[in-house]
């Protein structure tokens, strides 16, 4: 469980990046909801990665 928790931030960043790539491939770059969601996932993932890895030590 600790391994999943430590990688949660990275997973969120990757999911956000995949959403951005899929939007680009499909040509759906004008939908602000999808782009905002992916931006939110990337930012939350980055913050989660920093905060969680400061708190969890092995």
């Amino acid at each position: 469980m600790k391994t999943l928790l430590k990688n949660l931030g990275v997973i969120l960043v990757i999911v956000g990046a995949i959403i951005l790539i899929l939007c680009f491939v499909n040509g759906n770059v004008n939908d602000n909801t999808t782009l905002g969601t992916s931006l939110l996932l990337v930012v939350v993932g980055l913050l989660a990665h920093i905060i969680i890895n400061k708190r969890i030590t092995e």
Side-chain angles (χ1 to χ4, degrees), residues 3-37:
T3 306
L4 179 64
L5 190 60
K6 282 186 79 163
N7 293 327
L8 180 65
V10 176
I11 292 169
L12 288 175
V13 169
I14 291 172
V15 169
I18 288 172
I19 292 172
L20 284 173
I21 291 168
L22 290 176
C23 284
F24 177 73
V25 169
N26 290 334
N28 191 15
V29 294
N30 292 327
D31 186 17
N32 287 333
T33 305
T34 308
L35 295 175
T37 302

Side-chain angles (χ1 to χ4, degrees), residues 5-6 9 43-57:
L5 190 60
K6 282 186 79 163
V43 170
V44 168
L46 180 64
L47 292 175
H49 180 71
I50 292 169
I51 292 169
I52 289 172
N53 283 325
K54 278 187 176 182
R55 303 220 186 253
I56 294 179
T57 58

